[in-house]
Amino acid sequence: MIQNKQLICNGRVVLPNRVEDVSLLVEDGRITALLEKGSDYSGDCEIIDASGKIVMPGMIDTHNHMGDPGPANFREDWYCGSCSAASGGITTICDMPLPSEPSTIDRESLALKKQTAGSRSVVDFALWGGLIPDSIKDMREMHDLGCVGFKGFMCFSTKVYPRITDGYLVEGMRESASFHGLVALHAENAEVADFGCRHYSEIHCQDEACFDDARPWWTEFDAIQRAVLFARMTGSRLLVCHTTITQGAEFIKNQKKEGAPVFVETCPHYLIFDRNILRDKKSFAKCTPPFRSRENVEKMWDYVKDGTIDVLGSDHGPYTDEEKVMQHDFWKEYCGFGCNDVMLAAMISEGVNKRGLSWTRLAELTSQNAARLLGLYPRKGNLMPGADADFIFIDPDEKWVYDGTRSFSKTKSDKGPYHGMELKGRVTDTFVRGKRVYGNGRILCDAGYGRYIRSEG
């Protein structure tokens, strides 16, 4: 049997704009043909039966935070983090510049992260470059080396990765526009959000749901408006990261109609959980921007369905359970949690099965749009001939309960927001370039199978 040729048959295959009962012919890790049901194919190949499964393009996670390389890899390293991703149907990780040390801001730090990820990841990976004041001079070189874009924080970040103030942001956008790059922003008004958190800490507020009041919706709205204005004035493409508010989504929807070069990312947890999860899970569900009201959550689905929301990212950034309570003050605890292994299942459960989201729209949100936006298309993001054979099998009807203690993530926990969530729909198998890297609940490839995928602009 020729092991580098495969025929994936009997599944319902999610293609651009349609779902069809076709077979995928894969040779040397690439899709070479779509065969109609009943076609007589007599080639010598491995037959992979996808009966009863949805066959969908593997997810491209636009927003991931590995702590590797650097001292933060005790929270998440490239092997464990990529195993977690594979188990959730992610075939390409797009990793952010921090909290790895050094942050990915120049040629040397990019080379180090590529080497680290290349030796450990079980799925393919792409890399974001940094947008801080000191990195603007390196943006063009980083773009030429294949970075998918440049991430900045309009809110306060860390001492080693400072926020990008308005003047430097405009300068960075001008530089990005000169080579048709992409700027991605965490959009919150820095001072108002910081003042709010300090105020609630000083009054010893015991209601964790007030995190939404400490960093209210309009801190995000203000930053989104400024960012879009700067993008329009400079001609830079802009991705607004992890958008949580309907006001922001509506504003961007209208700006898109006027030709603004702006795109929207949100995270599944902002489409599922509201501010009340903080009363239950406390700091273990703390993230920025905060969880909003239930009314806002439900309205956000309208923007998912109508195409305003372009892509989904996990914002996977776990901390240990001990770290999440080390300050003994909710208002000062770290923000972030692990979720890259459950985000797609949650979207299937809450989107497809509960709210009627189509499989084609889900594939756009999780794969196709990201590949186009980040310069990875047509190699990634679709199941058409010529593309990498990155696909997943989904059992759309399986009912199960997510158990965070069984995650492949280095930082396992039974305290995160998804732990104990009842789901309908599950990823059963993950293939990267034709190789089954996850199946039967196990990782089926060695560390280092994943490859660096450079943006082609």
Side-chain angles (χ1 to χ4, degrees):
M1 179 179 293
I2 301 173
Q3 295 300 320
N4 63 355
K5 184 181 290 188
Q6 302 150 306
L7 187 68
I8 292 82
C9 55
N10 300 324
R12 290 186 51 76
V13 180
V14 182
L15 301 171
N17 303 315
R18 63 196 191 278
V19 179
E20 292 191 4
D21 296 328
V22 295
S23 297
L24 302 178
L25 182 63
V26 175
E27 298 183 59
D28 297 322
R30 292 276 180 112
I31 298 170
T32 56
L34 303 180
L35 304 179
E36 297 293 333
K37 187 175 183 180
S39 297
D40 182 17
Y41 180 77
S42 57
D44 186 10
C45 62
E46 178 187 7
I47 303 298
I48 300 175
D49 187 2
S51 295
K53 305 292 177 61
I54 300 292
V55 182
M56 200 169 86
M59 182 170 182
I60 299 171
D61 183 2
T62 58
H63 198 136
N64 186 88
H65 294 275
M66 296 293 186
D68 200 12
N73 70 358
F74 74 91
R75 298 176 186 139
E76 193 69 292
D77 62 26
W78 271 99
Y79 179 68
C80 294
S82 66
C83 289
S84 178
S87 72
I90 295 168
T91 53
T92 303
I93 291 171
C94 301
D95 196 54
M96 289 294 178
L98 76 166
S100 57
E101 291 186 25
S103 300
T104 316
I105 59 171
D106 54 25
R107 172 185 285 271
E108 292 74 20
S109 54
L110 177 67
L112 179 59
K113 183 171 281 191
K114 281 174 57 179
Q115 179 184 28
T116 305
S119 66
R120 298 176 184 174
S121 183
V122 303
V123 301
D124 287 349
F125 59 95
L127 300 176
W128 288 91
L131 178 55
I132 60 175
D134 289 343
S135 70
I136 294 173
K137 66 183 186 304
D138 297 294
M139 289 174 65
R140 181 177 289 274
E141 182 178 33
M142 295 282 280
H143 171 77
D144 292 342
L145 291 169
C147 282
V148 296
F150 303 89
K151 169 68 180 296
F153 287 81
M154 298 177 77
C155 61
F156 289 115
S157 183
T158 67
K159 290 182 180 179
V160 298
Y161 199 93
R163 75 182 178 107
I164 191 81
T165 53
D166 286 357
Y168 284 111
L169 176 53
V170 170
E171 184 180 350
M173 283 185 164
R174 284 177 176 150
E175 179 65 12
S176 178
S178 73
F179 50 78
H180 201 58
L182 177 68
V183 167
L185 292 173
H186 181 133
E188 287 184 286
N189 182 297
E191 291 191 346
V192 177
D194 186 59
F195 269 63
C197 289
R198 285 195 279 125
H199 168 73
Y200 278 86
S201 177
E202 289 167 0
I203 66 173
H204 305 292
C205 178
Q206 299 301 304
D207 183 0
E208 295 85 0
C210 288
F211 195 43
D212 177 29
D213 302 313
R215 306 173 79 105
W217 69 268
W218 45 269
T219 62
E220 190 175 342
F221 190 55
D222 167 71
I224 289 173
Q225 288 179 302
R226 281 187 288 128
V228 173
L229 175 62
F230 298 160
R232 295 195 69 159
M233 294 301 99
T234 61
S236 174
R237 294 191 305 144
L238 169 67
L239 175 65
V240 180
C241 295
H242 40 50
T243 305
T244 73
I245 57 171
T246 57
Q247 296 91 340
E250 181 67 20
F251 173 74
I252 294 173
K253 179 179 180 178
N254 292 327
Q255 290 292 305
K256 284 183 174 186
K257 291 178 181 177
E258 296 179 11
V262 59
F263 305 89
V264 190
E265 175 198 79
T266 194
C267 306
H269 45 266
Y270 293 124
L271 300 171
I272 296 169
F273 305 113
D274 60 48
R275 56 184 281 166
N276 290 313
I277 192 71
L278 290 163
R279 293 180 176 135
D280 179 24
K281 302 287 187 171
K282 304 189 183 306
S283 61
F284 296 97
K286 187 182 179 188
C287 58
T288 53
F291 289 115
R292 306 298 184 184
S293 69
R294 174 48 52 180
E295 179 184 15
N296 181 86
V297 169
E298 294 303 325
K299 285 184 178 179
M300 282 292 287
W301 281 98
D302 294 337
Y303 298 99
V304 169
K305 292 180 177 180
D306 73 7
T308 301
I309 305 296
D310 296 286
V311 295
L312 296 177
S314 67
D315 203 2
H316 179 79
Y319 291 88
T320 66
D321 287 353
E322 293 75 19
E323 286 182 293
K324 291 290 277 183
V325 295
M326 65 188 300
Q327 300 296 329
H328 306 290
D329 179 352
F330 170 86
W331 305 98
K332 297 178 181 178
E333 303 295 358
Y334 285 123
C335 295
F337 46 78
C339 55
N340 65 1
D341 56 351
V342 67
M343 63 177 293
L344 183 54
M347 284 298 297
I348 295 166
S349 184
E350 292 289 312
V352 175
N353 284 320
K354 186 175 179 179
R355 293 176 174 86
L357 188 70
S358 71
W359 288 109
T360 52
R361 179 66 182 130
L362 181 62
E364 289 174 356
L365 287 161
T366 59
S367 191
Q368 181 178 319
N369 289 352
R372 291 184 180 276
L373 178 64
L374 303 178
L376 309 178
Y377 197 88
R379 180 177 179 182
K380 301 292 187 182
N382 69 99
L383 298 181
M384 299 300 289
D388 281 355
D390 297 347
F391 54 88
I392 57 179
F393 292 172
I394 296 167
D395 182 337
D397 299 315
E398 181 176 348
K399 295 181 180 180
W400 62 295
V401 177
Y402 177 72
D403 182 352
T405 66
R406 302 184 67 181
S407 173
F408 288 97
S409 174
K410 198 168 189 177
T411 305
K412 305 174 189 294
S413 179
D414 62 355
K415 297 178 172 60
Y418 284 102
H419 179 75
M421 183 176 177
E422 296 181 356
L423 299 163
K424 182 181 179 182
R426 188 171 195 168
V427 175
T428 62
D429 302 83
T430 300
F431 295 76
V432 177
R433 287 175 281 108
K435 182 176 180 63
R436 195 191 313 250
V437 299
Y438 170 80
N440 297 318
R442 299 185 295 117
I443 300 299
L444 303 173
C445 70
D446 294 331
Y449 175 72
R451 295 178 182 172
Y452 175 60
I453 308 298
R454 57 176 294 131
S455 172
E456 299 300 331

